Amino acid sequence: MPELPEVETVVRGLKDELPGLSIRGVEILRPDLLGNSPAEFTRSLIGRQIQSVSRRAKHIVVKLDDGLLVVHLGMTGQLLFTSETSHQIESTHPGVRFTLDGGNLVYDDTRRFGSLTVYTEGSWLEKESGIGPEPFDENFTAADFATSIRKSRSPVRSWLLDQRKIAGVGNIYALEALFRVGIHPQRRGQTLRVPEAQQLHSEIITVLREAIDRKGTTLRNYRDASGEEGEYGGSLLVYGREGLPCPRCGESVKRVMFSARSAFFCPRCQPRN
DNA sequence: AGTGTATCCTGCAGGC
DNA sequence: TGCCTGCAGGATACAC
């Protein structure tokens, strides 16, 4: 479910609520979600005070007075918060419940592809250093992006989904950005001309920003920290629109499968060669 | 080195 | 109604 805009929306819903609160209880209903042993996970969190909530790629980073809790939502994860201490959050597939001294926090995940992991500052830094540049980082330049993607023999959609190359882009926004620039998802990175690559850099940033402005995309079960749906679904130009007319030229939107993922594109606006 | 495929897991839509 | 197949926002361990 969640790509950068959805994770950012969850973080924005939590970053003014959680800091200052302390963790009083941890109830693990699905141990397979944890990146640590249940004992270590619980021991590391009980009594800790939350200092901040931020985002790195598709990770939610909860900084504690000692260590960090890092949550990845996988495909169907939700991190839901209520400040009503007595209120049990309703959720269909609860994985971990946190009791805070000022609210309740639940991690819910139908498919359980997500994870919750406690890191030390050092171990997170090491893990995090393997992730590519943040799209909104001012050091993420069009020139660097173009140089990097034009070295790749992979299909550009595959390259964009590789978190080591660029942080936070998933299937929806990769395909939306490629449509906006008129690049076929299966074109090899090395076939991109410099202006195309630079325009792709620009459109990635634009589409992510627009999606954040609309609180992300809800296809099935994405919800923000308050349980609200995203509003960007109606703005998608090609994703999930197989057989519908291209918003630019009217040609029927096509779907192809490669790397075990669907790719939606307009065959006229995004020629393969 | 860099790609593609299979895999983890559950739910749901569509075909018959 | 019910069974079956395919597909879903992600990441990673493998086999080429």
Side-chain angles (χ1 to χ4, degrees):
Chain A
M1 86 168 212
E3 306 183 27
L4 186 154
E6 292 74 35
V7 177
E8 179 65 26
T9 302
V10 173
V11 165
R12 290 184 181 188
L14 295 173
K15 68 190 312 172
D16 294 330
E17 301 284 343
L18 297 189
L21 305 185
S22 292
I23 301 171
R24 296 299 187 214
V26 177
E27 183 188 3
I28 301 164
L29 297 93
R30 290 290 190 171
D32 59 343
L33 291 167
L34 305 184
N36 317 88
S37 73
E40 184 187 7
F41 186 80
T42 304
R43 176 172 52 75
S44 304
L45 293 178
I46 293 284
R48 297 278 65 78
Q49 186 183 51
I50 296 170
Q51 293 195 329
S52 65
V53 183
S54 60
R55 181 190 59 73
R56 172 71 170 111
K58 300 173 190 171
H59 303 272
I60 300 164
V61 180
V62 181
K63 191 173 185 303
L64 308 168
D65 51 5
D66 181 18
L68 309 95
L69 169 64
V70 178
V71 179
H72 193 292
L73 301 175
M75 291 278 247
T76 52
Q78 299 178 16
L79 194 56
L80 301 164
F81 175 73
T82 176
S83 57
E84 295 176 44
T85 315
S86 57
H87 180 240
Q88 177 86 308
I89 297 171
E90 53 190 276
S91 87
T92 55
H93 298 75
V96 181
R97 294 184 182 278
F98 302 91
T99 306
L100 310 177
D101 63 352
N104 289 310
L105 187 65
V106 173
Y107 180 75
D108 182 280
D109 194 343
T110 304
R111 291 174 72 184
R112 303 204 303 283
F113 287 175
S115 63
L116 301 90
T117 307
V118 172
Y119 290 92
T120 62
E121 296 280 352
S123 64
W124 172 242
L125 202 61
E126 187 181 339
K127 164 86 176 173
E128 184 267 333
S129 68
I131 304 173
E134 286 290 329
F136 299 135
D137 189 326
E138 59 182 16
N139 295 319
F140 175 64
T141 66
D144 289 346
F145 174 86
T147 300
S148 185
I149 196 169
R150 291 180 71 249
K151 286 178 182 165
S152 168
R153 288 190 292 126
S154 330
V156 287
R157 197 276 308 266
S158 301
W159 191 93
L160 292 172
L161 264 48
D162 186 340
Q163 299 300 298
R164 295 167 300 186
K165 304 292 196 298
I166 176 173
V169 178
N171 202 28
I172 293 179
Y173 301 111
L175 293 170
E176 290 295 305
L178 289 168
F179 170 75
R180 288 166 177 239
V181 189
I183 299 173
H184 190 289
Q186 285 177 288
R187 274 184 59 193
R188 314 265 154 183
Q190 59 191 6
T191 72
L192 296 191
R193 289 168 283 278
V194 172
E196 286 181 311
Q198 296 198 348
Q199 195 183 346
L200 180 57
H201 168 271
S202 167
E203 290 300 337
I204 288 168
I205 292 167
T206 300
V207 74
L208 293 175
R209 182 162 288 138
E210 289 177 2
I212 291 170
D213 288 345
R214 290 174 181 69
K215 302 176 167 56
T217 303
T218 297
L219 294 183
R220 271 161 273 277
N221 60 3
Y222 165 72
R223 298 292 185 280
D224 72 11
S226 306
E228 297 292 317
E229 298 187 1
E231 302 164 357
Y232 193 72
S235 303
L236 296 173
L237 300 177
V238 285
Y239 185 89
R241 299 181 57 80
E242 181 182 17
L244 296 172
C246 165
R248 185 185 293 145
C249 78
E251 174 77 284
S252 174
V253 170
K254 294 290 178 286
R255 179 172 73 99
V256 293
M257 285 283 274
F258 66 96
S259 302
R261 317 287 300 267
S262 285
F264 301 90
F265 67 101
C266 169
R268 190 184 299 174
C269 297
Q270 298 167 272
R272 230 186 132 155
N273 294 304

